[in-house]
Every structure is written in C-alpha cells, then in structure tokens.
C-alpha cells in the first residue's frame, strides 16, 4: 500500500508538468526559444513546484497545529491564522499599490499577529479547553472577514478583483522567481520541525509528562507555532489561502500509517505536496476557459472530509 | 532534601513538611483533601516558591534539572496521540536505551505489550506502564498518585516490592487510600483534611489506635498489622 502510493505519487509529480490545457510537444521542451520551452519551464514547472511546496507546508503546519493544540480540528485555517495573512495581503493590495514585497510582509505580519492573539488566549485556558480556542479562532476569522469587507468597500474595481482572485487561491505563478522563496521556506520549515521531533513527541503525551520530561511545553509550543505560522504566511502571501490541505492530509496520513504524529513529519510533508499537485492538475484540466481556482478544488474535496472527521469523532468520543 | 514551607495554593493551606535525604513520604487524606494538588505543587506542575529542593526553589530549576529531580506518575495515563506505542512512551523516559526498556518491561511482566498502542491498554496495564516509565526515568523524587488503585492483588504486591526494594526510586512520595499499603511502606505520613495538614510524622505514630480514631472516627479499625474499613459502621 505504502510502496504503491509512493510510486503513484512520484509518477504524478513527474507527469504533472506535462499535462495542461495546451498540449506540449515533448521534443521541443529542451529547445530554447520555442513556445513549448517557455510553457514548460516558465509556467508549468514553476506551477507544479509551487503547488508541491505550498501543499507540503500547509499539511505539515496542520500536523504541528493539531499536535501543539492537542485538537484534531485545529489548523492555521480553522484558527484564523491564514485569514490574518489574507487580510494583511489585502491591505497591501488596496493601500500600498499591490507591490509584491509589501504583500509578503503584510501577509506575514497578519499571520504572526493572529498566532500571538491565539497564544495569549491559550495561556489563559486550560489545555483541555482547546475547543474554546477553536471558537476564538472562528470569531477571529469573522472579524477578519468583516475587515476584508471594509477593504472591498474602500477599493476600486481592479483592486477588488485582485483581492477576490487572491482569496480563492491561485498557483498561477510565472517564472522561477516566485518558486524559490516558497521552496526555500518549505525546506527550511521541514528541517526545523524535524529538529523538534523529540519535543513534538513529548507534546503529544500530556502537559505534565512533557513538563517533567525536560522541556518547557509553553515555550516549545510557541516556537513550533511561530515557525509554522511564518511558513504558512509566506506561502499564503504567494498563493492566497488554500484551505483544507492542512486539515485532511495529517488525518489521512495517520490513518494510513497508524503511528504517532511525530514520526509522520516526512510523509505529511510529501503527501501534502502531492495532494496539491493533484488538485491543481484537476483545476488545470477541466477544460474550462480559465483555471478553476485551486481553493475551490481543495475545498470541494476537503469540505465533505471535514464533516466525515466530525462524525467519526462523535462516534469514538461518545 | 525537600522542603515545603508554608505552601498555600488552591485549596492547600499552610502546608509544611520536610524530607531528609533517603526519607520517603506517604500522603493520605479523604477525596478532595488536596493530595494530588500537593504532589503537583511539589514537582512544580503548580509553580510555587514555597517548595524547595536542596536550597533551591523548584520553579527556578531548569527543565533538565526538573526532569532529573522529579517524576510524577499520575492516577490515569493521559496521552493525546492515540497512536503512541508502549515503546514510544518508554523511549521518551529513556531515549535510546533499548536494553533498559526491555529489562524494565520484563521486570513488570508486560513484555508482550511492547508494540501495543498505549490507548488500548487497560487501566491496570497503564499503571504498570507508567511505573515502568518511572523506573527508566530514575528521578530523585518519584511521586505516585494512587498507584495501586487499578491493580489486582498480585500486581499490587509486585509494585509494593518494587517501591521498597528498587534502587531506581531514590525518594518516593506515594499518595494512596490503601492504609495497608501505607503501613507496609513504613514511610513518613502526611494526612490532609480539607487542604490542611492534620498529621505529619512517623508511620507508627500515625497508625496508633488513638490517632486512627482522631483521623478516621470509627470508620477504620486496626487488627494487628491490618486495617479494615468498617462498612458496617454506616448502618
């Protein structure tokens, strides 16, 4: 099962750049100057790489959030961290002329502010009250949505359009210069999380056990959340918010592997990337005039799964 | 040495006690009298500057010093990740010590559970697992919260033997309702009532009939070396 899915995934990753609305002439890919060369190297490949590394960051951040908050429903999205990043980016689009670097910076700031609010809240709650934190996250998301509405009201037509397109999520990048930051952040992120593997495992036990196991659980949780939020913020500022990857991938991986979450860092990272490449492949090949936004595809698959998780939890937890 | 100097947290009021090197403690008291709260305060889970270990306040210990000084065995095994295995759990107590892990599992007679998921264990098996973890941890002070509550007679005796004979527990602090266990352990006794210290002293003095009458009224009777709860008293 695991070998088969690994093989299929690798095949998917290799073949994904070759398929799209315009069929490629494979012989011309390596011939510079041809339109096939440009299509492959400047559009298809950057897009697949962006999809892979964004998906991997979102999935791994979901795993980290679920482990740190000890709640299977927490992700950067359900807790409003990604909405914070979206709001920051929208502010940059409306007030700062949509300059890319400001979009990144404000998106990043939005995510960090959200995680800071969450952390202050979680400190005043007991560890068993994470559902309260979820509610707080939902309240924050509503607040951000309202602020986003205000921005729509203040923006002109073009700005509104770019915000709407942004909130739907898009992997349509052109050229490698967008891929490099996402790729670098993604690889740095997984390396950092791996270096916390032992501490993460302690967090998966109980507060008492972790506290007497030689770590400061609060500080470790904060470090992991900050790292994850920063990585998510960078990806969201490039691709827009892409929901549900962080929720469903860690659950599917744990159901398949049946091991504790700290041992699933690499599988979650890898299959998160594969999942988004797969969704993007669907988005690009449905034959509509323009690409269906990637957020739509992941949510269509993720929404029903979210409900399935809730139902299953109810059954096992009485 | 461990010193609690006028500790008042949550329901606890002005608790004082001290344990010299090599001394053990047994904490007794009714449900809700503050036994677990006290043990959590001792190992720093409820930070308080009233608790000192070797002239250092417990909250000022570094995480590493803390883990070498205290280990807490709770009444119930609580793990978030349902896929953590027995081996995973023990590995966290003794990283990269496969041989030691296997030896401890062997001692407790639970080798067959090595690859099981902790979430699938019975409450008695979970207790044995937590004791195994404590043996691997080798902390200077190991606190047990009602360790025999879920154990059958045979395993209770096995645990009693481990507690009294194992060099792995340098100082043990045992919370229990089992007076026979407390008597057999022979350690200093702290008896709590509504968060206040009602008795702190030697084991023999606590189990003197007049003191039992003072602490438990007519509910407990001493018969030689044994203690009985008088269920008939309620009639």
């Amino acid at each position: 099962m695991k070998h088969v899915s690994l093989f299929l995934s690798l095949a998917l990753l290799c073949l994904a750049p070759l398929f799209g609305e315009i069929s490629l002439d494979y012989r011309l890919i390596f011939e510079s100057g041809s339109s096939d060369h440009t299509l492959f190297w400047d559009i298809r490949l950057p897009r697949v790489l962006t999809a892979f590394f964004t998906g991997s960051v979102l999935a791994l951040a979901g795993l980290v959030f679920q482990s740190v908050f000890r709640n299977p429903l927490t992700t950067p999205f359900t807790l409003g961290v990604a909405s914070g990043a979206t709001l920051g980016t929208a502010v940059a689009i409306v007030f700062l002329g949509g300059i890319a670097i400001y979009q990144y910076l404000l998106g990043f700031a939005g995510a960090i502010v959200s995680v800071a609010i969450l952390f202050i809240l979680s400190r005043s709650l007991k560890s068993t009250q994470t559902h309260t934190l979820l509610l707080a996250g939902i309240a924050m998301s509503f607040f951000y949505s309202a602020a986003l509405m205000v921005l729509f009201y203040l923006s002109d037509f073009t700005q509104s359009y770019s915000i709407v397109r942004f909130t739907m999520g898009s992997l349509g990048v052109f050229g490698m210069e967008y891929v490099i930051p996402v790729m670098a952040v993604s690889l740095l992120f997984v390396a950092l999380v791996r270096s916390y593997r032992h501490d993460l495992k302690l967090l998966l036990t109980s507060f008492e056990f972790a506290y007497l196991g030689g770590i400061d659980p609060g500080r470790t949780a904060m470090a992991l959340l900050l790292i994850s939020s920063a990585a998510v913020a960078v990806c969201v500022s490039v691709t827009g918010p892409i929901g549900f990857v962080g929720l469903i991938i860690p659950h599917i991986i744990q159901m398949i592997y049946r091991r504790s979450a700290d041992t699933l860092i690499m599988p979650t990272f890898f299959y998160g990337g594969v999942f988004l490449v797969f969704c993007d492949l669907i988005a690009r090949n449905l034959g509509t005039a323009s690409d269906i936004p990637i957020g739509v595809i992941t949510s269509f698959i993720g929404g029903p799964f979210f409900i399935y998780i809730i139902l299953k939890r109810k059954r096992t937890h009485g | 040495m461990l010193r609690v100097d006028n500790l008042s947290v949550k329901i606890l009021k002005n608790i004082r006690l001290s344990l010299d090197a090599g001394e053990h403690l047994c904490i007794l008291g009714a449900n809700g009298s503050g036994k677990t709260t006290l043990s959590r305060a001792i190992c720093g889970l409820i930070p308080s500057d009233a608790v000192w270990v070797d002239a250092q306040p417990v909250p000022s210990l570094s995480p590493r010093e803390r883990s070498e000084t205290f280990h807490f065995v709770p009444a119930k095994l609580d793990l978030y990740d349902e896929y953590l295995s027995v081996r995973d759990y023990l590995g966290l107590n003794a990283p990269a010590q496969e041989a030691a892990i296997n030896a401890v599992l062997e001692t407790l007679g639970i080798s067959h559970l090595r690859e099981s998921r902790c979430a699938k264990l019975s409450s008695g098996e979970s207790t044995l697992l937590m004791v195994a973890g404590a043996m691997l941890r080798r902390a200077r002070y190991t606190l047990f919260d009602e360790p025999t509550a879920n154990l059958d007679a045979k395993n209770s005796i096995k645990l009693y033997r481990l507690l009294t004979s194992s060099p792995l527990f340098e100082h043990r602090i045992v919370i229990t309702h089992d007076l026979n266990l407390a008597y057999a352990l022979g350690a200093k006794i702290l008896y709590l009532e509504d968060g206040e210290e009602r008795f702190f002293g030697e084991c023999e003095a606590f189990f003197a009939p007049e003191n039992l009458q003072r602490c438990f009224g007519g509910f407990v009777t001493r018969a030689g070396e044994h203690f009985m709860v008088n269920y008939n008293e309620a009639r």
Side-chain angles (χ1 to χ4, degrees):
Chain A
M1 169 77 182
K2 281 169 207 163
H3 295 290
V4 174
S5 63
L6 182 66
F7 175 77
L8 288 177
S9 304
L10 288 174
L12 177 78
L13 292 182
C14 295
L15 294 176
L18 300 176
F19 292 97
E21 221 175 313
I22 303 160
S23 39
L24 282 172
D25 187 339
Y26 308 120
R27 286 160 300 177
L28 295 177
I29 287 173
F30 294 102
E31 204 165 296
S32 70
S34 71
S35 64
D36 296 88
H37 180 274
T38 315
L39 188 61
F40 184 82
W41 295 103
D42 285 346
I43 297 177
R44 295 275 174 80
L45 194 61
R47 185 167 178 145
V48 169
L49 287 174
T50 308
F52 181 80
F53 287 108
T54 303
S56 57
V57 166
L58 295 177
L60 187 54
L63 181 85
V64 171
F65 268 62
Q66 286 159 18
S67 306
V68 167
F69 285 115
R70 305 163 65 79
N71 186 312
L73 300 180
T74 45
T75 65
F77 285 81
T78 41
L79 286 178
V81 174
S83 324
T86 308
L87 183 65
T89 312
V91 168
I93 291 175
V94 175
F95 295 113
L96 299 168
I99 300 162
I101 184 73
Y102 291 134
Q103 285 191 32
Y104 290 140
L105 289 177
L106 286 188
F108 187 76
I112 296 301
V113 168
S114 308
V115 83
I117 295 173
L118 280 177
F119 211 77
I120 292 164
L121 282 173
S122 73
R123 286 222 138 163
S124 53
L125 298 170
K126 282 187 183 155
S127 60
T128 48
Q129 292 175 310
T130 44
H131 54 278
T132 319
L133 202 65
L134 261 177
L135 293 176
I138 291 165
M140 274 164 64
S141 299
F142 275 117
F143 181 84
Y144 289 137
S145 302
L148 204 59
M149 291 301 156
V150 174
L151 285 179
F152 275 127
Y153 183 75
L154 296 174
S155 62
D156 63 30
F157 184 74
T158 351
Q159 290 168 339
S160 296
Y161 181 73
S162 9
I163 297 175
V164 170
R165 282 307 303 216
F166 179 79
T167 55
M168 285 196 242
S170 168
L171 294 163
V173 295
F174 184 82
M176 283 297 201
E177 59 268 31
Y178 283 99
V179 179
I180 304 296
V182 173
M183 198 158 101
V185 162
S186 172
L187 294 174
L188 183 66
F189 177 44
V190 70
L192 282 170
V193 174
R194 269 179 71 85
S195 73
Y196 271 96
R197 209 166 20 175
H198 177 75
D199 296 11
L200 189 66
K201 194 170 210 158
L202 279 170
L203 290 180
L204 292 171
T205 59
S206 61
F207 174 83
E208 283 84 357
F209 192 85
Y211 185 81
L212 295 175
I215 64 168
D216 182 335
R219 195 171 291 177
T220 308
M222 188 67 183
L224 279 166
L225 291 183
L226 280 178
I227 294 167
S228 309
S229 304
V232 167
V234 171
C235 289
V236 168
S237 60
V238 172
T239 64
I242 299 172
F244 285 116
V245 180
L247 181 69
I248 68 174
I249 298 300
H251 287 293
I252 294 176
I253 295 299
Q254 195 158 44
M255 279 176 197
I256 295 172
Y257 281 79
R258 310 181 73 76
R259 295 205 308 244
S260 59
D262 62 293
T263 60
L264 300 175
I265 295 172
M266 291 319 282
T268 304
F269 182 81
F270 178 72
Y271 286 110
V274 170
F275 175 72
L276 206 57
V277 170
F278 176 69
C279 288
D280 182 49
L281 198 62
I282 295 175
R284 286 189 287 130
N285 289 285
L286 278 180
T288 47
S290 67
D291 297 343
I292 293 178
I294 185 73
V296 174
I297 304 281
T298 56
S299 298
F300 265 134
I301 300 176
F305 189 80
F306 189 80
I307 293 167
Y308 164 72
I309 292 277
I310 297 167
L311 291 177
K312 188 163 176 285
R313 264 176 63 78
K314 237 187 183 153
R315 231 171 283 142
T316 47
H317 295 270
Chain B
M1 95 167 225
L2 181 77
R3 190 156 58 85
V4 176
D5 195 9
N6 226 350
L7 170 73
S8 301
V9 287
K10 301 205 172 172
I11 69 156
L12 297 176
K13 286 175 271 269
N14 308 321
I15 303 291
R16 287 166 196 279
L17 65 91
S18 68
L19 289 183
D20 290 330
E23 277 189 324
H24 308 290
L25 179 69
C26 217
I27 305 177
L28 300 173
N31 299 122
S33 59
K35 303 185 295 297
T36 302
T37 308
L38 174 60
S39 58
R40 288 170 58 87
I42 287 175
C43 53
L45 287 164
I46 305 169
S48 166
D49 284 328
V51 186
W52 298 67
V53 62
D54 299 336
Q56 201 180 357
V58 166
S60 73
L61 296 174
S62 74
R64 168 175 274 275
E65 287 172 328
R66 193 164 61 213
S67 79
E68 286 164 358
T69 310
F70 294 110
H71 185 62
F72 183 63
V73 177
K76 245 172 135 180
L77 180 63
D78 166 33
L79 301 175
Y80 166 64
D81 194 311
E82 54 175 324
Y83 289 103
L84 280 170
S85 71
V86 163
R87 220 208 65 73
D88 286 333
Y89 176 85
L90 294 177
L92 285 171
N93 288 289
Q97 294 183 30
E98 286 304 314
I101 290 173
N102 290 335
V104 165
L105 285 170
E106 189 70 35
T107 309
L108 288 167
I110 50 171
S111 297
H112 59 288
L113 298 174
R114 193 172 183 275
E115 303 301 329
S116 308
R117 282 157 58 180
C118 295
K120 300 270 182 196
L121 300 183
S122 75
S123 25
E125 289 167 339
S126 316
T127 303
L128 293 177
L129 172 64
M130 291 189 288
V131 171
M135 290 169 74
L136 290 165
R137 184 67 67 85
R138 310 184 71 152
R140 288 180 50 212
Y141 293 87
T142 309
L143 297 92
F144 299 86
D145 191 352
E146 298 191 36
T148 55
N150 290 311
L151 296 181
D152 59 39
K154 187 171 148 240
N155 277 325
S156 296
I157 289 171
K158 187 188 277 175
L159 178 66
Y160 163 73
R161 290 204 179 120
L162 271 174
L163 286 176
T164 46
S165 66
S166 173
L168 303 176
F169 304 124
E170 193 182 333
H171 302 89
R172 47 172 202 269
I173 298 176
V174 180
I175 298 177
T176 185
H177 288 293
D178 183 347
L179 296 177
N180 291 302
L181 175 68
Y183 183 73
L185 285 172
K188 272 191 169 174
I189 304 260
L190 175 71
Y191 182 77
L192 291 176
E193 202 173 282
D194 295 330
E196 286 182 76
E197 191 180 302
R198 192 79 191 275
F199 178 94
F200 176 61
E202 297 304 323
C203 183
E204 269 307 330
F206 181 80
F207 285 103
E210 57 279 11
N211 189 57
L212 287 180
Q213 178 65 33
R214 189 174 77 96
C215 290
F216 298 102
F219 292 114
V220 172
T221 313
R222 178 168 183 165
E225 304 282 277
H226 298 281
F227 302 89
M228 285 173 298
V229 177
N230 293 327
Y231 289 104
N232 293 334
E233 185 76 9
R235 293 214 190 126

